[in-house]
Amino acid sequence: MHSHGTAVAAMLVAQRSGRLRDDEAFTAGLLHDIGKLAMNVWLERKTEALIQLSTLNGWSFVECERTVLGYDPGQVGGRLAERWNLPLSVIDSARYHHEPDERPDPSLVVDAVHLGDYLASVLGFGLGADGLQYALQPNTLVRLGLHPQDIDRIADDLERERRLQAESFEEIVA
Ligand SMILES: [Fe+2]
């Protein structure tokens, strides 16, 4: 649910920006959390301890993962996407979607996924343990050529688009 919400939001961000391909943003959005999915499968027993650490110290979930495990979902996702020979836009979005400014050469796809992930998280599409601590990086809007008021319009479009996609899913399985 969260990955699909992010994919649709990233696609809408790309359409409103007009500076990148919307299909590329959709695919990168769909796969952006592969690192988190892999860690959920392989590290199930440590999740409870990480949540406790986050609550006790007021650290973000990612800070706890870096401290306890020595790596975070972005690093895992980036390495997995590389190993699976996925496109560079997917690798970069998996690795940098929480901190697009960390990429040495900024990427508009990563920016679209960052904003899409932010919208999906704050609008409650599959809110995870770290969903409420999500900080939108202001440079992202500048690079995409968007203004803060565009975020509200994209959020409205997101609700409508998700309803349409749910209807088309019912047609697919009918
Ligand atoms: Fe996400």
Side-chain angles (χ1 to χ4, degrees):
M1 180 181 180
H2 169 74
S3 292
H4 182 250
T6 300
V8 174
M11 177 191 77
L12 294 168
V13 167
Q15 288 170 355
R16 193 160 284 272
S17 162
R19 294 182 178 183
L20 68 155
R21 282 177 46 184
D22 60 355
D23 56 346
E24 199 175 16
F26 182 89
T27 304
L30 199 59
L31 296 172
H32 78 285
D33 264 343
I34 52 175
K36 190 185 273 187
L37 291 173
M39 285 171 65
N40 283 348
V41 171
W42 294 321
L43 301 171
E44 202 177 344
R45 280 170 297 147
K46 290 186 179 164
T47 304
E48 195 57 43
L50 289 167
I51 291 172
Q52 275 182 10
L53 192 65
S54 173
T55 309
L56 280 175
N57 296 321
W59 294 350
S60 74
F61 207 68
V62 168
E63 280 177 300
C64 296
E65 286 164 328
R66 285 175 186 158
T67 304
V68 174
L69 305 171
Y71 50 82
D72 63 51
Q75 292 164 336
V76 173
R79 282 184 215 164
L80 276 178
E82 274 174 346
R83 181 163 296 186
W84 294 338
N85 290 319
L86 294 175
L88 185 61
S89 57
V90 173
I91 296 169
D92 283 342
S93 296
R95 182 169 286 147
Y96 296 112
H97 66 269
H98 272 280
E99 297 158 321
D101 287 347
E102 293 299 310
R103 189 177 188 273
D105 179 20
S107 150
L108 289 176
V109 179
V110 176
D111 283 320
V113 172
H114 173 59
L115 181 50
D117 188 30
Y118 168 81
L119 280 166
S121 298
V122 298
L123 293 174
F125 296 127
L127 190 66
D130 51 351
L132 293 172
Q133 295 163 322
Y134 209 119
L136 182 64
Q137 294 198 1
N139 287 342
T140 281
L141 290 183
V142 175
R143 285 190 290 261
L144 289 165
L146 297 174
H147 302 282
Q149 59 267 32
D150 287 317
I151 294 178
D152 292 336
R153 298 198 188 105
I154 295 168
D156 290 342
D157 292 345
L158 179 58
E159 296 287 353
R160 199 174 323 113
E161 184 64 32
R162 278 180 51 88
R163 243 193 338 268
L164 286 172
Q165 293 214 4
E167 285 167 15
S168 69
F169 176 74
E170 285 170 16
E171 284 170 22
I172 289 168
V173 296

